[in-house]
Amino acid sequence: MKTLRHFLLTFPVLLATAAQAGDFDGSRPLICAPVVVHDCPRGDECEAGLPEDFDAPAFMRFDFKNKKVIGAKITSEILLLERSEAQLLLQGREGGHGWSIVIGTRSGDMTVTLASHNRAVVMYGSCTPLN
């Protein structure tokens, strides 16, 4: 009886953990919000601020089925999608820049880098499943 009681008490936690495990592995669409941006011109100090200070998107949707990252103004193709137990790595290019996005498979934490030959932009944010 004690074993059954323990199982029933922990079962909801196990279900929640199992449900969350698939939320950020690229199997479900996501919406992500950058929270802070660091703009780093070559040879100069980085400037930090809010996304709107740098004309960065407030939200980005990830359509893994169609390999797209969708912002308010731009939709970019995901050229590389690599899954591991700890993270989801996405890469692509847009407007002469290369970009990488890493999403933690457990937390949904997101790091975005956008790089050109003379500038790097780093954004940190969080993601949540869309459905």
Side-chain angles (χ1 to χ4, degrees), residues 7-8 25 40 66 86-87 94-95 102 107 115 118-119 124 127:
F7 176 77
L8 291 175
D25 65 359
C40 305
N66 295 306
Q87 65 185 25
E94 189 65 49
V102 180
S107 65
N118 62 358
R119 167 173 256 113
Y124 298 99
C127 300

Side-chain angles (χ1 to χ4, degrees), residues 34-106:
V35 178
V36 66
V37 177
H38 297 270
D39 182 13
C40 305
R42 184 181 176 137
D44 205 351
E45 291 196 25
C46 297
E47 183 180 344
L50 300 173
E52 59 265 23
D53 297 336
F54 298 97
D55 201 27
F59 295 98
M60 300 165 20
R61 286 188 304 121
F62 291 84
D63 178 352
F64 298 110
K65 182 180 176 182
N66 295 306
K67 293 190 175 185
K68 304 281 183 196
V69 179
I70 305 157
K73 299 177 184 175
I74 297 173
T75 296
S76 189
E77 185 178 355
I78 299 169
L79 300 177
L80 172 87
L81 192 151
E82 183 178 289
R83 293 173 179 91
S84 74
E85 188 175 317
Q87 65 185 25
L88 184 62
L89 170 65
L90 314 169
Q91 292 183 322
R93 63 176 176 263
E94 189 65 49
H97 296 83
W99 56 260
S100 294
I101 300 171
V102 180
I103 300 169
T105 55
R106 292 181 185 93

